[in-house]
Amino acid sequence: MQLIDTHVHLNFEVFQEDLEALQDRWREAGVSRLVHSCVEPEEFEGIKALADRFPELSLAVGLHPLEAQKWKPETANQIRSLASSEERVVAIGEMGLDFYKADNYQQQKAVARAQLEIAQQLDLPVIIHCRDAATPLAELLQEFWQTNGAVRGVMHCWGGNPEETQQFLDVGFYISFSGIVTFKNAKQIQASAEMVPSDRLLIETDCPFLAPVPRRGKRNEPSYVRYVAESLALQKNMNLEALAAQTSENACRLFGIDPPDSSSTDSNWLASLSS
Ligand code: NI
């Protein structure tokens, strides 16, 4: 079984000491690929260095909405050139709107639009962070779509209700569920998970945050994406294998990454034939 964790922050301090052990555990759990998010372009050098150590990583570059005040006239060029000069970059983000922790609404919207433009110019998907801003964000995306054309993307660590979910399905977006979907009290989010068509479904940890049940409250890590997959499989009445295969296929399609390498099993099989 192969899983893709579509949102990690392995560059955070909390992982510095034991990244190799983390890698052992994610490989054991079947995680074959990870998409590394980016909160601000200044992180990118460090993230690239991680991708040199861990070849399973694909990268994003962008500015988080809670960092929107750091946007400078040269930031668009900075993100564009980092994204286009590094072939491991598969997305722009994380970007979006967060009206839960900040009220610089106009600034956040302008920064979101600027990054949508970059994504469109480079033909890359966007990784969207959205908190307490589903309707304004859906409106912004629809408006952008009408004036500039479609952009591909994913609502990461999704926490919306079914009505909000539908708004993003309508603009063609994928919906990515994190550990939150395993929480007992997350009924609205689970209702959203049930309604998302399986070909638009992604899974992630958003580690180090939001560890899924049964690790809730602990430091989150990529291997725990398996708990997210197990929980979603139950909720969507799919078997785990099918959910893993479907979400991996979706991630490869959205981010343009190669399908998980199944050669380890294949080569064993071939070896058994030739012996
Ligand atoms: Ni994130």
Side-chain angles (χ1 to χ4, degrees), residues 11-252:
N11 60 326
F12 287 5
E13 187 86 42
V14 66
F15 290 127
Q16 284 226 329
E17 300 303 316
D18 60 343
L19 280 165
E20 265 74 22
L22 234 59
Q23 183 188 39
D24 290 344
R25 289 197 292 271
W26 83 55
R27 288 183 168 177
E28 216 168 294
V31 178
S32 56
R33 291 198 156 272
L34 308 88
V35 179
H36 200 296
S37 188
C38 175
V39 174
E40 54 179 311
E42 282 61 35
E43 285 183 320
F44 194 69
E45 275 310 307
I47 293 172
K48 239 168 56 171
L50 283 176
D52 294 338
R53 281 170 71 187
F54 304 106
E56 296 101 315
L57 297 189
S58 296
L59 311 179
V61 57
L63 187 68
H64 193 286
L66 292 176
E67 307 292 335
Q69 77 287 353
K70 293 185 181 166
W71 187 269
K72 298 192 279 285
E74 62 272 24
T75 307
N77 275 334
Q78 187 189 11
I79 293 175
R80 198 181 294 113
S81 74
L82 290 173
S84 54
S85 64
E86 169 54 60
E87 61 178 16
R88 289 172 293 187
V89 169
V90 298
I92 299 300
E94 57 188 286
M95 50 155 292
L97 299 178
D98 189 324
F99 293 172
Y100 176 74
K101 289 187 182 164
D103 59 3
N104 54 339
Y105 307 136
Q106 294 315 318
Q107 188 176 41
Q108 285 192 32
K109 285 183 183 176
V111 169
R113 279 192 206 97
Q115 292 183 87
L116 287 171
E117 277 172 24
I118 297 168
Q120 198 173 42
Q121 286 161 2
L122 300 181
D123 193 23
L124 288 172
V126 288
I127 296 172
I128 300 273
H129 168 106
C130 177
R131 192 158 182 203
D132 279 7
T135 299
L137 183 71
E139 283 168 7
L140 188 150
L141 288 172
Q142 272 154 8
E143 194 186 286
F144 188 88
W145 186 329
Q146 276 154 19
T147 47
N148 301 51
V151 184
R152 315 186 315 279
V154 53
M155 303 305 292
H156 113 81
C157 195
W158 182 237
N161 63 37
E163 213 174 303
E164 292 166 338
T165 305
Q166 190 59 50
Q167 296 183 294
F168 296 101
L169 290 172
D170 288 346
V171 292
F173 272 42
Y174 290 71
I175 309 289
S176 180
F177 292 94
S178 69
I180 312 178
V181 82
T182 70
F183 297 171
K184 269 212 180 77
N185 55 355
K187 298 293 175 214
Q188 286 296 307
I189 300 172
Q190 287 156 3
S192 295
E194 268 176 54
M195 66 170 281
V196 172
S198 58
D199 64 352
R200 297 277 201 93
L201 191 68
L202 297 180
I203 52 175
E204 66 172 81
T205 55
D206 199 15
C207 63
F209 310 113
L210 295 164
V213 172
R215 307 284 177 192
R216 191 173 181 181
K218 303 267 183 343
R219 182 189 70 170
N220 199 0
E221 61 170 71
S223 65
Y224 296 173
V225 80
R226 182 147 185 158
Y227 298 120
V228 177
E230 285 170 357
S231 172
L232 272 178
L234 277 176
Q235 288 166 42
K236 293 188 74 68
N237 205 13
M238 293 170 76
N239 73 49
L240 180 60
E241 294 280 338
L243 184 122
Q246 177 75 66
T247 53
S248 296
E249 187 188 321
N250 297 343
C252 291

